[in-house]
């Protein structure tokens, strides 16, 4: 199989690093040299033709061939066995409902969060526990970074033009976690979303950075903390609805499960008990042009005491179990009804 990408000759690693910065191939951090032999290892591992295309990546619509994707994985520091996860994540992001072009050009700060669930998370040694959103794990860090370098080098998602995010967030370097397979009292995320337990999957969701929620006490107190946190006007969900991800740590997950809560009943509780009155939203400058397009059809705009829920329906809330033992949960609000919706794809590992 012949690799066709442009080849350049440089005198050593440091010259490569400087060339990558100068030519705009780096996201602001040093990248690994994508040498011919290393890129070939990735192409050989996946067992697909290097010219095979997964489509054009917005917003600049560069073509995502297997070879080009392998180059980004090498530059990110991935191992070849991470490559199928990166491919599945890109397939999810390329779905029309995800609206990758909008996600990458909006003034909002959502970034594609890669959530890995199923047996491959253990196989790759991914982190689903303490510091799950933080540094220190090669698989999490480099898979997430490869996805971002694809957006950067193939999609052309550069700051200012075309990426107009007002603040953005550190997930632009890497935003990848795994779901806890050991301390999850409920079915895994990918099973809830229609896949088999033995399958490995990626769910990609356009999300803000994690918002911390400290949760003490019994099940009703934990849920009260969560609903209180979600009843504020900061994120997009009270302006354009959309989806929200809730990460529950194993300690609080056990408390909720022991009290009889399931993923479904937690979603329903949050949906019925969080919310803001229409009158309050009007006083905070809500934009009715957006509201009338995205709010539930049953909203009575003439009644200021009307409770506005966090989403159109409970299933627009997504729940995962992750993080270390403790009293903190997290919420990751989405972009809204404009895109970045959670998309799940199977990770197709090559047969050996």
């Amino acid at each position: 199989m012949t690799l066709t990408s442009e080849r350049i000759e440089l005198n050593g690693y440091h010259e490569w690093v400087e060339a990558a910065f100068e030519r705009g191939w780096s996201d602001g951090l040093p990248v690994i040299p994508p040498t011919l032999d290393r890129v070939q290892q990735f192409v050989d591992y996946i067992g697909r033709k290097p010219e095979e295309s997964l489509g054009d990546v917005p917003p600049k619509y560069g073509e995502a061939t297997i070879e080009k994707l392998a180059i980004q994985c090498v530059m990110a520091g991935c191992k070849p066995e991470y490559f199928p996860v990166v491919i599945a994540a890109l397939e999810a992001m390329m779905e029309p409902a995800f609206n990758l072009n909008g996600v990458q050009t909006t003034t909002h700060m959502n970034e594609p969060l890669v959530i890995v669930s199923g047996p491959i998370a253990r196989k790759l040694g991914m982190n689903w526990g303490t510091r799950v959103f933080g540094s220190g794990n090669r698989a999490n860090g480099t898979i997430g970074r490869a996805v971002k370098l694809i957006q950067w080098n193939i999609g052309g998602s550069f700051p200012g033009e075309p990426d107009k995010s007002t603040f953005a967030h550190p997930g632009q370097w890497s935003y990848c976690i795994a779901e806890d397979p050991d301390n999850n009292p409920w079915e895994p995320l990918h099973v809830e979303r229609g896949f088999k337990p033995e399958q490995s999957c990626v769910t990609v969701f356009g999300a803000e950075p994690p918002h911390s929620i400290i949760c003490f006490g019994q099940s009703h107190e934990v849920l009260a903390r969560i609903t209180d946190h979600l009843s504020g006007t900061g994120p997009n969900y009270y302006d354009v609805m959309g989806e929200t991800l809730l990460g529950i740590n194993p300690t609080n997950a056990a408390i909720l499960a022991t009290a009889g809560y399931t993923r479904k009943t937690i979603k329903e509780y949050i949906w019925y008990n969080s919310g803001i009155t229409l009158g309050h939203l009007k006083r905070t400058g809500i934009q009715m042009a957006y509201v009338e397009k995205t709010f539930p059809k049953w909203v009575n705009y003439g009644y200021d005491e009307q409770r506005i829920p966090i989403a159109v329906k409970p299933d627009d809330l997504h729940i995962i179990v992750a993080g270390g033992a403790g009293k903190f949960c997290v919420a990751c609000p989405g972009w809204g009804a404009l895109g970045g919706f959670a998309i799940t794809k199977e990770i197709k590992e090559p047969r050996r």
Side-chain angles (χ1 to χ4, degrees), residues 192-205:
E192 182 192 34
R193 297 180 64 81
F195 292 85
K196 298 177 181 178
E198 63 270 20
Q199 291 178 292
S200 292
C201 295
V202 159
T203 299
V204 180
F205 176 54

Side-chain angles (χ1 to χ4, degrees), residues 125-143:
M126 298 188 73
N127 180 22
W128 53 74
T130 303
R131 289 170 57 106
V132 67
F133 281 102
S135 59
N137 183 278
R138 180 177 181 178
N140 292 40
T142 61
I143 290 169

Side-chain angles (χ1 to χ4, degrees), residues 22 31 138 161 198 203 233:
E22 291 169 4
V31 287
R138 180 177 181 178
E161 183 56 51
E198 63 270 20
T203 299
T233 58

Side-chain angles (χ1 to χ4, degrees), residues 19-208:
F21 281 125
E22 291 169 4
R23 297 185 183 214
W25 296 334
S26 165
D27 54 3
L29 294 172
V31 287
I32 305 299
T35 57
L36 179 63
D37 60 337
R38 189 63 174 156
V39 173
Q40 189 70 61
Q41 287 179 10
F42 279 70
V43 174
D44 291 344
Y45 180 85
I46 205 68
R48 295 163 69 168
K49 294 181 179 180
E51 68 272 17
E52 180 187 342
S53 177
L54 274 69
D56 296 335
V57 181
K60 296 291 188 180
Y61 293 94
E63 186 177 16
T65 65
I66 292 296
E67 178 179 348
K68 296 292 186 184
L69 297 176
I71 290 170
Q72 307 312 310
C73 286
V74 173
M75 291 172 68
C78 290
K79 294 181 178 181
E81 52 264 43
Y82 302 169
F83 198 11
V85 183
V86 175
I87 288 175
L90 179 59
E91 289 174 339
M93 290 161 53
M94 296 283 276
E95 286 288 328
F98 193 80
N99 186 10
L100 183 58
N101 182 67
V103 165
Q104 295 190 104
T105 58
T106 177
T107 54
H108 188 242
M109 59 161 52
N110 79 102
E111 291 296 328
L113 168 62
V114 177
I115 307 166
V116 179
S117 55
I120 199 170
R122 191 186 304 280
K123 177 181 176 181
L124 299 182
M126 298 188 73
N127 180 22
W128 53 74
T130 303
R131 289 170 57 106
V132 67
F133 281 102
S135 59
N137 183 278
R138 180 177 181 178
N140 292 40
T142 61
I143 290 169
R145 194 178 185 207
V147 170
K148 301 306 174 183
L149 286 176
I150 290 167
Q151 295 173 245
W152 180 269
N153 284 319
I154 301 178
S157 181
F158 304 130
E161 183 56 51
D163 182 351
K164 298 185 182 300
S165 179
T166 305
F167 283 96
H169 71 76
Q172 283 200 330
W173 275 295
S174 180
Y175 207 20
C176 174
I177 64 174
E179 186 179 34
D180 192 330
D182 297 327
N183 303 294
N184 187 349
W186 307 299
E187 72 275 18
L189 179 65
H190 68 286
V191 174
E192 182 192 34
R193 297 180 64 81
F195 292 85
K196 298 177 181 178
E198 63 270 20
Q199 291 178 292
S200 292
C201 295
V202 159
T203 299
V204 180
F205 176 54
E208 293 183 10

Side-chain angles (χ1 to χ4, degrees), residues 278-291:
L278 182 62
H280 181 82
L281 291 175
K282 288 178 179 178
R283 289 191 294 275
T284 59
I286 194 168
Q287 302 296 299
M288 296 304 294
Y290 290 123
V291 165

